[in-house]
Amino acid sequence: MTVNKGRVFLVGAGPGDPKLISVRGMEAIQRADVIVYDRLANPRLLKHRRPEAELIFVGKLPDKHILKQEEINQLLVDLALQGHVVTRLKGGDPSVFGRVGEEAELLVDNGITYDIIPGITSSIAVPAYAGIPVTHRDFTSSVAIVTGHEYPNKTYSSLNWEHLAKAIGTMVFLMGVANLEQICRELIRCGKPPEMPVALVRWGTWADQATITGTLADITEKVREANFKSPAVIIVGEVVKLREKLAWMEKKPLFGKRVLVTRARSQASELVDLIDDLGGEPVEFPVIRLQPPSRQEARQALDNALERLQEFDWIVLTSANGVEFFFRRLRELGIDVRRMGNARIAAVGPKTAEALAERGIIADVLPAKYHGEGILDAIQGDLNAGQKVLLPTADLARDYLPSKLTELGLEVTEVDVYENVLTTDDGEEIIHLLQNQSIHIITFTSSSTVTNLLEALKQLGVEDPISLLQGVEIAVIGPKTAETVLQAGLSITFTAEEATVASLVQSMIQGGGNPS
């Protein structure tokens, strides 16, 4: 192998749920110079790529191929010969009707090193997500995985229908919705009883997952009446009866909901994980990026305040992000945390208090209500005129708390420890989902997430962002965020009782409040 040749990873992305990819598959995404992917690979996986990695979509639609398979094969070769590390991301498992053999053959012919990284095949995972195990000791110990369509102008004459009908227990057909009538007719002709249970699972493991059940005799008509489209997995066999008892995914409280998360990626993980755990599909669009203050005056004001840390009687921290950037700057300046030993520490809420505790500091004050009014109520009895208060906040923080403290005769030093910056990364995908009404809930955790989402959509070419968001349910944390949403002309469906991510998610489950 010559030094200028690259390497190709042929990776199974799994059936759709991005957490079903293998560790080795994720590593291939993170290593790639170029990622070549199709429509059945969840776009959320692409967020794990290196920022400079190139993306090439070769997705095949039922009625349209952007690139023919031979062209994809050659593309992988050409990219590797240019010295790139290439990850070919394919839905399901690349060896199960994924044509990985054809891609690998051409790589071998050109002397290119490659790895085949298996994925969880949709033929097993999709039925499982619908509550249908493909084998069960009380029903069958065998399963056949069959392509639902073959090459153009080719019939099913190459399939041994009689063998399938008589010798195999469960049959799973992939990519076969268009040929469902023929599949059912052939199986009945070869001896399968017309009352044999059948299930079709569309977009299995995705938020759009839908299941329809019937028998060989009536499933075709049911699918036609429901306008049930591909991509769908067809399961034929007695195990389909288990769905009524074992369907687990549909029972999750957020099943079928695709939820847009607008928080900065650095702070979105808790919300994303909660949505995912409760059966929803989180879609990250971090319209905010957090960073240290960019203005020289703000940086200097922060440093001046930190250099005289020992002078403050109170230090009030209003977010976990504020804690992170506050202590980061202390480290950078080489300031010993013990210099704040004279001050009483107030945290606006449990997450802020937790962030402090992780650094060995227990908050002196934690209010019952997690916002500026609540923290003022909690500390007001201990305040004395002339005391010095340090408020390390964000550049867009509301002015309620500093103004009220000043009115009470305290000397307030408010400094920006971080700022919110607008970002539009991956915005085209979000617009596509919104236009197709595929986003069901939008979460706003601060006023800046509201204003930045609207501005990001404008920068991406959406003339009327409010119209695009009409009809989407909206969930908010905090009165200021709610006020910003309403002032923008949107309605609120869910309101968190407390200013926490857990409370926000709980409001979506229970129905929340509607102040609109």
Side-chain angles (χ1 to χ4, degrees):
M1 174 177 149
T2 57
V3 293
N4 64 325
K5 286 185 181 177
R7 182 176 180 179
V8 177
F9 294 96
L10 304 168
V11 179
D17 183 337
K19 288 189 175 182
L20 292 181
I21 196 169
S22 68
V23 173
R24 193 174 293 277
M26 182 63 74
E27 289 174 349
I29 292 172
Q30 294 167 341
R31 292 179 60 180
D33 300 317
V34 184
I35 299 175
V36 179
Y37 67 104
D38 61 36
R39 72 164 183 148
L40 296 181
N42 195 313
R44 284 171 59 193
L45 291 171
L46 303 177
K47 299 182 187 301
H48 298 282
R49 71 187 186 273
R50 293 187 294 119
E52 65 273 20
E54 180 184 358
L55 299 177
I56 301 177
F57 178 64
V58 294
K60 299 177 182 179
L61 300 173
D63 58 348
K64 180 181 180 182
H65 285 196
I66 292 181
L67 284 181
K68 294 180 179 178
Q69 184 62 48
E70 293 76 13
E71 295 172 324
I72 295 174
N73 301 346
Q74 188 60 50
L75 174 65
L76 299 179
V77 169
D78 293 343
L79 290 169
L81 289 176
Q82 293 167 18
H84 296 301
V85 174
V86 183
T87 291
R88 169 70 170 111
L89 202 58
K90 306 165 74 74
D93 180 281
S95 299
V96 181
F97 308 125
R99 304 182 75 171
V100 73
E102 299 170 45
E103 295 174 352
E105 282 185 297
L106 194 60
L107 295 173
V108 171
D109 293 343
N110 286 271
I112 296 168
T113 299
Y114 67 92
D115 295 52
I116 297 177
I117 301 177
I120 296 178
T121 172
S122 58
S123 57
I124 306 298
V126 168
Y129 266 57
I132 305 171
V134 294
T135 64
H136 189 284
R137 63 185 301 176
D138 293 336
F139 294 101
T140 181
S141 58
S142 63
V143 59
I145 302 171
V146 186
T147 178
H149 72 85
E150 297 189 4
Y151 291 115
N153 304 318
K154 189 175 181 181
T155 67
Y156 282 101
S157 58
S158 61
L159 285 177
N160 189 330
W161 288 102
E162 291 188 3
H163 177 74
L164 282 173
K166 294 176 182 178
I168 301 298
T170 304
M171 288 168 283
V172 179
F173 293 86
L174 303 182
M175 305 168 290
V177 176
N179 293 315
L180 178 62
E181 184 174 2
Q182 181 184 3
I183 291 169
C184 294
R185 183 177 64 246
E186 289 295 325
L187 290 175
I188 293 173
R189 181 183 67 82
C190 293
K192 284 292 186 188
E195 63 272 16
M196 173 65 70
V198 182
L200 274 75
V201 186
R202 183 181 188 274
W203 285 111
T205 81
W206 297 68
D208 309 285
Q209 177 176 314
T211 303
I212 188 169
T213 59
T215 66
L216 286 174
D218 65 17
I219 191 66
T220 301
E221 185 59 31
K222 285 186 173 183
V223 166
R224 186 179 295 116
E225 289 177 355
N227 196 28
F228 204 82
K229 301 290 188 180
S230 64
V233 172
I234 303 168
I235 307 105
V236 180
E238 296 294 334
V239 291
V240 171
K241 295 177 180 177
L242 291 165
R243 168 176 161 74
E244 185 174 349
K245 183 177 183 180
L246 300 183
W248 58 277
M249 191 65 185
E250 290 95 329
K251 295 177 182 177
K252 292 194 172 190
L254 291 180
F255 171 73
K257 299 292 186 181
R258 185 174 285 111
V259 184
L260 188 65
V261 177
T262 55
R263 301 189 94 184
R265 184 159 286 141
S266 60
Q267 59 180 160
S269 59
E270 181 188 6
L271 180 54
V272 167
D273 288 344
L274 276 173
I275 294 167
D276 181 78
D277 191 51
L278 294 168
E281 183 180 312
V283 177
E284 291 185 73
F285 185 33
V287 294
I288 289 176
R289 186 179 70 251
L290 305 182
Q291 64 182 33
S294 57
R295 294 183 301 110
Q296 176 61 33
E297 312 92 274
R299 291 197 303 270
Q300 191 60 55
L302 172 61
D303 291 352
N304 290 342
L306 296 180
E307 290 288 356
R308 55 188 184 91
L309 202 57
Q310 67 280 356
E311 299 178 10
F312 293 100
D313 302 291
W314 288 91
I315 299 175
V316 181
L317 290 146
T318 58
S319 70
N321 293 318
V323 174
E324 166 62 30
F325 282 91
F326 178 80
F327 282 90
R328 180 189 301 181
R329 190 56 182 158
L330 285 179
R331 289 194 303 272
E332 292 170 349
L333 295 174
I335 295 174
D336 194 318
V337 70
R338 288 172 291 186
R339 288 173 60 179
M340 59 193 286
N342 295 327
R344 298 191 67 188
I345 311 297
V348 73
K351 288 298 177 183
T352 307
E354 182 181 326
L356 283 165
E358 289 173 354
R359 292 159 175 83
I361 296 173
I362 306 302
D364 297 292
V365 179
L366 182 62
K369 295 181 179 180
Y370 311 145
H371 46 61
E373 291 85 342
I375 203 166
L376 182 61
D377 291 342
I379 67 175
Q380 191 162 354
D382 296 320
L383 298 177
N384 296 309
Q387 286 183 324
K388 295 182 179 180
V389 182
L390 176 62
L391 272 175
T393 60
D395 61 326
L396 299 177
R398 53 189 300 216
D399 60 4
Y400 173 85
L401 189 56
S403 63
K404 288 296 183 182
L405 291 172
T406 301
E407 288 177 13
L408 292 171
L410 285 86
E411 183 181 326
V412 180
T413 301
E414 185 180 14
V415 292
D416 296 340
V417 288
Y418 68 95
E419 63 185 13
N420 299 288
V421 180
L422 174 68
T423 176
T424 60
D425 295 345
D426 302 314
E428 291 78 9
E429 175 201 345
I430 303 305
I431 291 174
H432 175 75
L433 290 171
L434 288 167
Q435 289 173 337
N436 287 282
Q437 299 181 324
S438 296
I439 296 291
H440 307 108
I441 302 174
I442 300 174
T443 59
F444 291 122
T445 56
S446 66
S447 290
S448 54
T449 58
V450 181
T451 55
N452 278 22
L453 175 62
L454 298 175
E455 181 59 31
L457 292 174
K458 287 181 181 178
Q459 290 191 14
L460 290 164
V462 178
E463 293 184 5
D464 188 357
I466 299 299
S467 294
L468 184 62
L469 302 182
Q470 293 291 349
V472 183
E473 295 182 321
I474 291 177
V476 302
I477 287 180
K480 185 64 177 178
T481 307
E483 181 184 337
T484 306
V485 170
L486 296 176
Q487 287 177 347
L490 295 168
S491 298
I492 297 171
T493 313
F494 311 109
T495 303
E497 291 186 6
E498 298 178 349
T500 66
V501 165
S503 180
L504 179 68
V505 173
Q506 191 62 31
S507 74
M508 290 189 279
I509 295 171
Q510 296 178 340
N514 190 350
S516 59

